[in-house]
Amino acid sequence: MGWQYVPLLLVAPLVDAAVTVHHPPEDLFTMTQSSIAPGETFSGNRAYDPTELEPPENGGYVPNFDINLQPAGTQDGLSHQLPSPFFGFSIEMSVSNQVYGRNSTHINVPFLNLMSNIAERAGEVHVRCGGNTQESAVMVESNPNGLMIDKDYSSVSGTTNTPPIDYTMELIYTLGNISALVPVKWWVGIPFDDIHENPIRMDIADAAINVIGENLLGFQAGNEPDYYGKFGRRPPEYTAFDYMGEVGELIQLMSQNPIYEGYRDKLVSPSIAMEWPLQETWDTGIIENYRDQIRYMSVERYPDNNCGAVFGTGGAIRVPQELIGVYLDHHHLRSWTDYYVETGLYAQQMQKPLIMFETNTASCGGFPGISNAFAGALWGLDYALQLARKNFSEALFHVGGQSVYYNPFTAAPTNQTSFSQWTVGPTYYVVLIMAEIVGRTGTARVTDLYAAEDSNRTPAYAIYEGDEPARVALFNTNTDPSGGHTYTASINVPQTISSVQVKRLSANSVSQINNFTWAGQTWGAANFEADGRPHGEYVIETLPCTPGEGGGSRCPVSVPAPGFALVFLQDGGASAHDEAQTYATSAVGRDRNTATIDRAALETSNGHNETVRGFLGSTSYGSQSSATTLARLGVASLGIVAATMWTVLHRLR
Ligand SMILES: *[C@@H]1O[C@H](CO)[C@@H](O)[C@H](O)[C@H]1NC(C)=O
Ligand SMILES: *[C@@H]1O[C@H](CO)[C@@H](O)[C@H](O)[C@H]1NC(C)=O
Ligand SMILES: *[C@@H]1O[C@H](CO)[C@@H](O)[C@H](O)[C@H]1NC(C)=O
Ligand SMILES: *[C@@H]1O[C@H](CO)[C@@H](O)[C@H](O)[C@H]1NC(C)=O
Ligand SMILES: *[C@@H]1O[C@H](CO)[C@@H](O)[C@H](O)[C@H]1NC(C)=O
Ligand SMILES: CC(=O)N[C@H]1CO[C@H](CO)[C@@H](O)[C@@H]1O
């Protein structure tokens, strides 16, 4: 047994609280440190920790292998048909003002850009505004400091020291105004914290119905109820059966008030993590009993936790260097997601989409050097494809604040309001690429190919649309700058094609932090460099195929170590996303004069001329709606987008 297998044993009891981190507050860390000398320990915000691990010892590797794809009818192990979007975001409620913007007239443009990139590919973006902090959130008339979200650090609770939050209507207006600009749809959470002491606080549901309307996906009925007993929100003996009763009370309440007309079938439940066995929970009959009210069947899970190190909970202190190899191990990922196979089949039987409602690399903020490294991107894609393969319909990566490692994106530190200072993490690339993997036909089905003698480091998946293979996803999670671990997969397909198109996700090592490229473009070479738009030259490779021996075609594709390649087998498949460009605009500053713009970068981003085809003149999503919005607003000029964006948002109010 090689040393790289040892960590598997260390993480064997995969029972981890899907807890997220909000505290200690950002102010305990210095904001700006972005590099460290060798041997020095990083003392800045975790979101910007530049500590790189050693790449783990290499694993499975076969230099040349064949992938033989059959027509769908005879291909093994295909999933159900995957809806679009498959992957979205769960944004912790307490960080709403950092991420979305200060208020409904002051929305962060990098956030809009980031959402727009996904929407271009997936049709729309699904975001859950919630998390642990939704449970104790209280809607207030106003906060003393004028903020739409305020935290009460004097009454923190739980493993993650979650502070209760007071929010105002402004938060809901902000969500509504975001949806008016980019097709983002929302889930919000109904707090279940003291459901018996007080009437259920329905303010967020009522406000969302009034303001968000058709862009409201649904209401989460409590978050991780299986931890309520453990964390003192209920008596320790609280069971899934008790929870079902409480969901019943919510349903009862909603049935009595006409405001919920049209919204009574939108509950998200039960959102359990690892405390209650899945089967026991389904056995309560909750899904069957409430089949007319529960729209989405939800679970939450993080594969590991870093609570011991981050919060001094007394739990095991995990050593990231010992874990990075586990995250890159396909076999490990496959086996822990097997936990959901039966549930995936049950959800289909119940005709409910199964959603991984909150997930990421590890709870309590993730691991430095994994969650924020290229390893996190490769893990995320393999994970997403395993969830798809196991018949999930959707999954959401969690977004915390400045004090977590795993963010798909981190807003500029709150006291830095100038242009493009966001930081985009590996899991953002996963959501973006997953949108291209799944496509938006709603008919994609995936299968794990057990490729290269089922190597643990070079998995491959096929994606079918209809009867034909449409795309192949190839991984190489080894690291070898000498080129020694580059492999060539010869993809044999039943259809006759003369070439394939390839887009790659690249970095120099699995440990690299920032500067990943997808199809040649990066969302940030370093911390504090992102404005939500891709930068660099857009690259799609075209590789030739030859006629196959028994008919069909043979298409060799090489993948370096490390690397991920998405191979498009159908004509023009890759360029379906060519027009994926969006907001040619900068961040919204404290006042509009702080927004400056590099015109040349703007014109060439994504290989397109943004003055012609930017957000305002977009030919793809929103070309209609955003152009119309702007026309209505009387904003005509395309060239001065950056300067006008603030005005645009201001006038939306
Ligand atoms: C932001 O706040 C931190 C910590 O208070 C401080 O060190 C830093 O200089 C500030 N940055 C700016 C741009 O004001
Ligand atoms: C996923 O669903 C499909 C279609 O119902 C089924 O054929 C397949 O066996 C399921 N996959 C797993 C891993 O259960
Ligand atoms: C929104 O934030 C901006 C910038 O801080 C401020 O000028 C404006 O008054 C705020 N609007 C509301 C409604 O609070
Ligand atoms: C990012 O990668 C590119 C291409 O590999 C390289 O030229 C550039 O120096 C890198 N930037 C940083 C900040 O590491
Ligand atoms: C973009 O298009 C505008 C208008 O046609 C043109 O003036 C400008 O030179 C173009 N920029 C680039 C980089 O091609
Ligand atoms: C388009 C849109 O939803 N605009 C709303 C933005 O938020 C303000 C409240 O701050 C509403 O009045 C607008 O209707």
Side-chain angles (χ1 to χ4, degrees):
M1 185 188 270
W3 73 268
Q4 70 270 31
Y5 291 106
V6 174
L8 288 176
L9 304 174
L10 298 180
V11 296
L14 289 162
V15 278
D16 297 303
V19 276
T20 46
V21 82
H22 321 284
H23 198 67
E26 297 79 63
D27 359 323
L28 291 186
F29 300 92
T30 53
M31 292 282 189
T32 48
Q33 188 176 5
S34 62
S35 64
I36 46 170
E40 198 188 335
T41 308
F42 181 69
S43 61
N45 281 322
R46 294 191 186 95
Y48 310 118
D49 192 331
T51 310
E52 282 196 16
L53 302 175
E54 289 298 318
E57 191 174 302
N58 286 328
Y61 167 67
V62 178
N64 296 288
F65 58 89
D66 273 30
I67 288 177
N68 299 315
L69 301 179
Q70 312 300 326
T74 47
Q75 182 75 42
D76 278 344
L78 288 172
S79 69
H80 72 155
Q81 296 194 338
L82 302 170
S84 178
F86 184 84
F87 230 112
F89 303 99
S90 156
I91 301 179
E92 188 62 52
M93 195 171 176
S94 58
V95 300
S96 295
N97 47 356
Q98 285 174 31
V99 174
Y100 308 133
R102 203 162 305 161
N103 57 43
S104 63
T105 59
H106 208 88
I107 295 169
N108 290 330
V109 173
F111 176 74
L112 297 176
N113 285 337
L114 289 166
M115 295 303 103
S116 203
N117 297 320
I118 311 287
E120 293 282 355
R121 290 162 171 82
E124 59 191 41
V125 195
H126 291 179
V127 179
R128 168 229 199 175
C129 173
N132 281 345
T133 50
Q134 80 191 27
E135 294 280 60
S136 52
V138 176
M139 185 184 267
V140 294
E141 199 60 37
S142 66
N143 280 317
N145 42 21
L147 297 177
M148 66 183 189
I149 289 265
D150 201 14
K151 299 179 209 176
D152 180 3
Y153 287 114
S154 63
S155 30
V156 295
S157 66
T159 323
T160 55
N161 297 338
T162 309
I165 60 175
D166 294 337
Y167 67 98
T168 69
M169 266 306 278
E170 198 61 24
L171 172 61
I172 314 300
Y173 290 133
T174 301
L175 306 186
N177 281 357
I178 289 169
S179 297
L181 293 163
V182 188
V184 176
K185 295 191 171 171
W186 307 91
W187 282 287
V188 296
I190 296 176
F192 262 42
D193 62 337
D194 58 355
I195 194 163
H196 293 298
E197 276 83 67
N198 294 300
I200 303 177
R201 294 196 302 282
M202 295 297 286
D203 321 60
I204 195 154
D206 301 356
I209 288 170
N210 287 328
V211 176
I212 309 175
E214 62 179 15
N215 294 313
L216 180 60
L217 294 166
F219 314 106
Q220 189 190 13
N223 187 50
E224 298 178 344
D226 52 334
Y227 286 112
Y228 287 174
K230 200 172 190 171
F231 293 157
R233 293 200 171 119
R234 298 286 191 283
E237 62 277 9
Y238 183 78
T239 64
F241 203 79
D242 298 324
Y243 168 72
M244 180 170 69
E246 294 180 353
V247 174
E249 290 176 39
L250 172 65
I251 289 170
Q252 173 82 3
L253 185 152
M254 290 179 80
S255 71
Q256 290 161 351
N257 188 332
I259 184 186
Y260 303 114
E261 186 72 50
Y263 293 90
R264 294 192 180 111
D265 61 348
K266 293 191 189 302
L267 296 184
V268 180
S269 180
S271 313
I272 53 172
M274 297 296 291
E275 203 68 16
W276 292 339
L278 293 168
Q279 194 55 48
E280 235 170 68
T281 306
W282 312 136
D283 286 348
T284 60
I286 183 167
I287 305 297
E288 276 155 286
N289 293 343
Y290 304 143
R291 68 168 75 229
D292 296 334
Q293 290 84 23
I294 295 179
R295 169 75 62 93
Y296 309 93
M297 234 172 96
S298 55
V299 294
E300 300 187 6
R301 177 99 182 255
Y302 292 73
D304 205 331
N305 80 73
N306 194 18
C307 303
V310 170
F311 290 111
T313 53
I317 305 284
R318 303 235 197 273
V319 181
Q321 186 64 63
E322 290 172 3
L323 297 172
I324 184 168
V326 179
Y327 279 85
L328 296 170
D329 188 316
H330 177 63
H331 295 170
H332 182 255
L333 194 45
R334 183 196 282 149
S335 62
W336 80 258
T337 51
D338 273 347
Y339 184 71
Y340 295 102
V341 168
E342 297 299 319
T343 292
L345 292 169
Y346 178 62
Q348 287 181 69
Q349 194 190 324
M350 292 290 106
Q351 300 181 308
K352 300 291 175 199
L354 176 63
I355 305 190
M356 178 58 76
F357 209 59
E358 180 183 321
T359 191
N360 212 310
T361 38
S363 62
C364 287
F367 292 111
I370 299 175
S371 304
N372 55 345
F374 193 56
L378 295 173
W379 166 82
L381 284 166
D382 198 5
Y383 175 41
L385 282 159
Q386 280 300 314
L387 292 178
R389 161 82 181 81
K390 280 149 193 171
N391 294 321
F392 275 80
S393 290
E394 196 157 357
L396 310 177
F397 271 135
H398 199 57
V399 180
Q402 316 277 332
S403 53
V404 304
Y405 300 108
Y406 58 48
N407 287 331
F409 40 81
T410 307
T414 44
N415 63 350
Q416 295 180 9
T417 51
S418 61
F419 183 52
S420 53
Q421 290 183 333
W422 283 45
T423 303
V424 172
T427 44
Y428 179 76
Y429 291 79
V430 173
V431 175
L432 187 90
I433 295 168
M434 202 53 194
E436 298 197 24
I437 291 175
V438 170
R440 51 206 275 189
T441 60
T443 62
R445 293 186 289 163
V446 309
T447 185
D448 182 345
L449 296 167
Y450 291 70
E453 299 158 22
D454 196 21
S455 143
N456 66 337
R457 294 295 197 86
T458 62
Y461 295 82
I463 298 93
Y464 281 72
E465 307 241 31
D467 196 43
E468 275 191 353
R471 294 176 284 285
V472 172
L474 301 171
F475 290 75
N476 191 343
T477 70
N478 292 311
T479 296
D480 187 348
S482 77
H485 282 74
T486 299
Y487 70 74
T488 300
S490 294
I491 305 172
N492 299 296
V493 296
Q495 63 261 45
T496 305
I497 49 178
S498 58
S499 64
V500 292
Q501 290 179 303
V502 179
K503 285 189 182 183
R504 295 180 187 279
L505 178 67
S506 308
N508 295 327
S509 106
V510 296
S511 303
Q512 182 176 315
I513 293 173
N514 286 313
N515 212 12
F516 320 130
T517 56
W518 170 241
Q521 300 188 304
T522 187
W523 270 261
N527 289 337
F528 311 114
E529 282 207 350
D531 61 5
R533 291 179 298 138
H535 294 276
E537 197 187 331
Y538 185 53
V539 181
I540 302 183
E541 290 166 37
T542 301
L543 301 177
C545 303
T546 53
E549 276 166 30
S553 314
R554 181 173 176 82
C555 313
V557 178
S558 296
V559 183
F564 169 85
L566 184 58
V567 183
F568 294 83
L569 304 170
Q570 292 168 343
D571 271 352
S575 44
H577 305 290
D578 253 10
E579 306 203 352
Q581 269 338 288
T582 56
Y583 286 74
T585 174
S586 74
V588 179
R590 195 178 289 116
D591 67 56
R592 60 167 130 161
N593 297 328
T594 61
T596 54
I597 196 152
D598 175 348
R599 209 186 157 86
L602 188 143
E603 286 180 352
T604 55
S605 82
N606 201 30
H608 296 305
N609 187 331
E610 297 278 357
T611 48
V612 191
R613 215 203 272 170
F615 162 56
L616 299 177
S618 171
T619 51
S620 34
Y621 154 72
S623 48
Q624 287 304 6
S625 54
S626 34
T628 321
T629 307
L630 288 159
R632 200 173 68 225
L633 294 160
V635 178
S637 167
L638 301 187
I640 51 162
V641 182
T644 56
M645 199 61 202
W646 186 85
T647 318
V648 171
L649 294 170
H650 191 71
R651 289 190 192 183
L652 273 176
R653 191 180 160 89

